[in-house]
Amino acid sequence: MSSFTPGFRGRARPLADRLPPGQYPTEQFPVLSAGPTPRVPTETWAFTVTTEDGRTHRWTWDEMMALPQQDTVTDIHCVTRWSKFDTEWRGVSLDAFFEDVETAAEYVVVHSYGGYSTNLPLEDLLDGKAWIAHAYDGYPLSPEHGGPARLLVPHLYLWKSAKWVSGLQLTLKDEPGFWESVGYHNYGDPWREQRNWGD
Ligand SMILES: Nc1nc2c(c(=O)[nH]1)N[C@H]1C(S)=C(S)[C@@H](COP(=O)(O)O)O[C@H]1N2
Ligand SMILES: [Mo]
């Protein structure tokens, strides 16, 4: 995926086909954080996947960077109604982490440094749909946008893309995360406008 033409897919597709209902396009990249920005040095950063029976898989920064790296160009959609087209990321597909993870769980709670959490079905992280992203627009991901690394799940509203990601907890039962427990939609599909509980 290293050869792409930035913006090409965008210009080739009419706006109505790529702007979910109730959204507006923006060139800005707003920062939306529920609390202070944690500073996590890559020397101490680690990403863990914990299975439903408590087995832990752990990757240090260097181990994560040694996994296959992918460049991704994608549109992102925030529930506060901005969408940003053709954002350019570099990171590691969740499929690479899950190569050695054996699980019967169907749900995931994503955890972040600083305490944020969000939940989603495991299948929404696999098959090329999600990344641990550490670079944006050709530069290391800034702390405000989740650096050193964040989850990127572009097919769901951006609150699912946990910044400063620290790990995944696999669960047999679906458990709401931070925003989901205070009224945001449990799944958050922008194309079905799943903003709030009950949408
Ligand atoms: N750890 C953490 N991740 C988070 C958030 C947060 O407050 N803390 N906010 C979420 C929300 S609501 C949005 S819209 C996006 C915003 O990402 P951005 O600040 O890079 O635009 O991050 C998501 N990930
Ligand atoms: Mo958001």
Side-chain angles (χ1 to χ4, degrees), residues 10 24 46 103 127 142 148 167:
Y24 67 87
T103 181
D127 298 325
S142 68

Side-chain angles (χ1 to χ4, degrees), residues 1 3 5 14 22 30 32 45 66 90 95 97 104 118 121 126 129 134 145-146 156 163 174 176 194 196-198:
M1 294 187 60
S3 67
T5 308
L32 286 113
W45 182 92
R90 185 171 180 81
D95 296 310
F97 295 97
T118 186
L126 303 179
K129 293 198 284 293
H134 56 76
H145 287 297
L156 299 176
K163 305 197 281 189
D174 200 8
Q194 294 174 335
N196 299 301
W197 192 88

Side-chain angles (χ1 to χ4, degrees), residues 24-30 74-78 82-87 136:
Y24 67 87
T26 183
E27 299 287 319
Q28 312 292 110
F29 194 174
T74 189
D75 300 346
I76 54 177
H77 311 289
C78 176
W82 57 267
S83 290
K84 186 170 173 58
F85 295 150
D86 296 322
T87 58
Y136 174 77

Side-chain angles (χ1 to χ4, degrees), residues 32 78-80 159:
L32 286 113
C78 176
V79 72
T80 62
W159 87 77

Side-chain angles (χ1 to χ4, degrees), residues 15-108:
L15 183 67
D17 282 1
R18 62 190 316 207
L19 191 64
Q23 297 291 112
Y24 67 87
T26 183
E27 299 287 319
Q28 312 292 110
F29 194 174
V31 171
L32 286 113
S33 304
T37 296
R39 306 284 158 161
V40 188
T42 55
E43 292 76 23
T44 54
W45 182 92
F47 176 66
T48 59
V49 173
T50 307
T51 61
E52 65 279 15
D53 50 5
R55 281 171 296 137
T56 297
H57 302 253
R58 185 175 183 272
W59 291 264
T60 64
W61 184 263
D62 290 345
E63 288 166 343
M64 185 267 295
M65 295 302 270
L67 293 171
Q69 304 291 315
Q70 291 186 348
D71 292 309
T72 303
V73 179
T74 189
D75 300 346
I76 54 177
H77 311 289
C78 176
V79 72
T80 62
R81 299 186 182 272
W82 57 267
S83 290
K84 186 170 173 58
F85 295 150
D86 296 322
T87 58
E88 296 182 31
W89 304 86
R90 185 171 180 81
V92 177
S93 169
L94 266 293
D95 296 310
F97 295 97
F98 272 84
E99 268 188 14
D100 353 289
V101 177
E102 256 183 65
T103 181
E106 289 179 17
Y107 301 99
V108 178

Side-chain angles (χ1 to χ4, degrees), residues 108-175:
V108 178
V109 181
V110 185
H111 293 280
S112 293
Y113 291 99
Y116 185 84
S117 63
T118 186
N119 61 305
L120 70 179
L122 176 57
E123 65 177 22
D124 286 84
L125 292 180
L126 303 179
D127 298 325
K129 293 198 284 293
W131 294 266
I132 301 298
H134 56 76
Y136 174 77
D137 213 11
Y139 292 93
L141 184 60
S142 68
E144 291 71 22
H145 287 297
R150 77 182 295 169
L151 183 64
L152 176 66
V153 196
H155 70 285
L156 299 176
Y157 280 125
L158 204 57
W159 87 77
K160 300 285 183 180
S161 292
K163 305 197 281 189
W164 318 294
V165 66
S166 61
L168 309 180
Q169 171 69 58
L170 294 160
T171 59
L172 296 173
K173 281 196 335 192
D174 200 8
E175 292 171 22

